[in-house]
Amino acid sequence: MISVDDYRERITALLGTAPATVLPLADAAGLVLAEDVPARVSLPPFDNSAMDGYAVRAADVTTSPVTLPVADDIPAGRVDVGTLEPGTAHRIMTGAPLPPGADAVVMVEDTDGGTETVTITAEAREGAHIRRLGEDVVAGSLALAAGTVLGHSHLGLAAAVGLAEVRVHRPLRVLVASTGTELVDAPAPLRHGQIYESNSVMLAAAIRELGCEVEVVRSVVDDVEEFRKVIEPRLAGADLLVTSGGVSAGAYEVVKDALTGQGVEFRKVAMQPGGPQGNGRWHGVPVVTLPGNPVSVLVSFEAFLRPALLAALGHTDVSRRRVRARLTEAMSSPPGRRQYRRGVFTLSEREVTGVVGPHGGPGSHLLAAFTQANCLIVLPEDVSSAAVGDEVDVLLL
């Protein structure tokens, strides 16, 4: 068997890093910058007013009230602003360029709002209500660093410093396939011995949440020729094939039978659930094959597929948050395997490390318990039992 950590490294190396591409800002949300973004302009790009009010020379408004003639009107967007002469005021709107000679803005609330003359009822302070050139970002400086996950504020900043597009790691195109003759797609009626297919629904949703593009092939029957016939034509343009089912030691392991000797290696990973795994390349496309039980699929995704996909998309933080917690219930684990159990983690004001208890049994078919859990309890390979009160590692989901 191979350890979970070694297998995660293999999957990460298999996927590599997604190529960079240039996309419009509107299409880059959630993606990762592939290169630094320098500011093309300063922010603000000129001294401007932070308030609706009047641009003045502070030396002209040292007492109050004082009345000054309004020599000009400056709306936002005006580009031909004249000099403010001593003893005058310019009416100015928020964001409008500060006229040369002005060193303060009096907000309109401290005036009578006049348009020919203005009476100012508060003393002006030099520099008051002025946004200075480059106060936020200086032209040529680093606006956004490579590796930044582009949220709405990052895209706003990119637009503000003059960019219409950015170079990002492009979304991976992932083909997700579920296998098993026993599978039926809802809402078709079930016959005795059949189950509804759910793995592809879970995997596709989880992979899309990371920012990938997903194509789904559901419920491929346990026939090697049919598997190849359905999957091979869809590999063109795919960056990754992820399958579920057909990789264990039974008599009808379609994925294992179809891909053995074709560039995909099958082996056991020292974990529970999710031991049977496979990875490699088929027709040049990276392949990750997962077991068929739904909890095994989800644990495998969390243990190595999720971090590998995030790394491929350019993320630097690829791990779930890990905390320590005291067990509220004793647990056992098979020696030599890393066990992942669904759990409920609680942190109260009186708890320093928090408490956690397993939720549902260890069975890899108990999907409902996973939906009610908020964490995975991790018992390492060298731990076969843990008592109430013992501290354990917890991955927060």
Side-chain angles (χ1 to χ4, degrees):
M1 289 193 293
I2 185 173
S3 73
V4 174
D5 295 335
D6 287 345
Y7 195 67
R8 183 188 302 115
E9 290 180 5
R10 290 191 180 202
I11 301 303
T12 300
L14 175 68
L15 269 58
T17 303
T21 188
V22 176
L23 291 178
L25 296 183
D27 298 331
L31 302 181
V32 179
L33 269 180
E35 62 184 12
D36 290 344
V37 172
R40 294 183 177 178
V41 299
S42 294
L43 294 180
F46 49 85
D47 290 349
N48 67 85
S49 178
M51 293 285 180
D52 293 334
Y54 295 83
V56 298
R57 296 174 181 257
D60 292 335
V61 191
T62 57
T63 60
S64 61
V66 61
T67 299
L68 299 174
V70 178
D72 204 352
D73 205 40
I74 311 175
R78 184 170 171 183
V79 297
D80 58 341
V81 177
T83 300
L84 175 72
E85 299 297 334
T88 68
H90 289 181
R91 191 168 72 147
I92 193 168
M93 301 299 113
T94 302
L98 194 71
D103 59 11
V105 171
V106 178
M107 58 184 182
V108 69
E109 291 84 351
D110 290 332
T111 74
D112 65 355
T115 55
E116 299 295 327
T117 64
V118 60
T119 298
I120 300 171
T121 58
E123 181 180 342
R125 292 179 296 103
E126 186 174 340
H129 308 308
I130 296 174
R131 301 166 178 163
R132 293 297 184 186
L133 164 70
E135 185 178 306
D136 191 14
V137 177
V138 176
S141 66
L142 181 65
L144 295 167
T148 298
V149 183
L150 292 171
H152 51 276
S153 61
H154 306 103
L155 294 170
L157 178 58
V161 297
L163 275 72
E165 55 190 20
V166 285
R167 183 174 294 276
V168 293
H169 295 287
R170 69 164 174 78
L172 293 176
R173 298 180 291 264
V174 182
L175 177 62
V176 172
S178 61
T179 66
T181 302
E182 75 279 14
L183 302 178
V184 174
D185 296 349
L190 289 178
R191 299 173 61 187
H192 184 70
Q194 296 179 326
I195 60 173
Y196 284 124
E197 195 280 322
S198 60
N199 285 345
S200 71
V201 176
M202 295 189 303
L203 275 172
I207 294 170
R208 285 193 184 103
E209 284 180 1
L210 303 183
C212 298
E213 300 170 0
V214 182
E215 179 185 357
V216 177
V217 179
R218 302 182 69 182
S219 309
V220 182
V221 297
D222 291 327
D223 179 271
V224 169
E225 293 306 315
E226 181 66 16
F227 176 84
R228 290 174 175 164
K229 176 183 176 182
V230 170
I231 301 301
E232 282 184 304
R234 291 176 165 84
L235 292 176
D239 298 303
L240 172 65
L241 167 64
V242 180
T243 67
S244 64
V247 297
S248 193
Y252 300 97
E253 306 297 344
V254 64
V255 175
K256 196 172 186 179
D257 294 341
L259 301 184
T260 295
Q262 302 294 311
V264 178
E265 180 183 18
F266 296 88
R267 62 193 311 162
K268 289 289 188 72
V269 178
M271 62 190 291
Q272 186 192 57
Q277 302 286 343
N279 74 94
R281 290 181 179 272
W282 187 31
H283 297 296
V285 177
V287 177
V288 175
T289 70
L290 307 178
N293 282 314
V295 175
S296 296
V297 168
L298 291 175
V299 169
S300 299
F301 176 80
E302 291 293 336
F304 48 80
L305 187 54
R306 180 182 183 273
L309 283 168
L310 287 173
L313 293 168
H315 292 259
T316 54
D317 183 5
V318 301
S319 300
R320 293 285 194 184
R321 183 184 171 197
R322 184 182 292 261
V323 298
R324 298 283 286 176
R326 292 186 297 102
L327 277 176
T328 60
E329 182 180 325
M331 293 178 57
S332 61
S333 180
R337 300 195 182 197
R338 185 178 302 178
Q339 188 181 68
Y340 294 86
R341 286 282 298 275
R342 290 135 286 180
V344 176
F345 172 79
T346 305
L347 184 63
S348 67
E349 293 181 359
R350 293 176 294 177
E351 297 290 345
V352 177
T353 57
V355 296
V356 68
H359 188 74
S364 57
H365 62 295
L366 301 175
L367 180 59
F370 209 116
T371 68
Q372 298 153 10
N374 63 6
C375 68
L376 288 174
I377 304 168
V378 183
L379 295 185
E381 293 84 344
D382 59 351
V383 172
S384 58
S385 64
V388 173
D390 285 354
E391 284 195 5
V392 292
D393 281 336
V394 173
L395 296 178
L396 301 182
L397 299 177

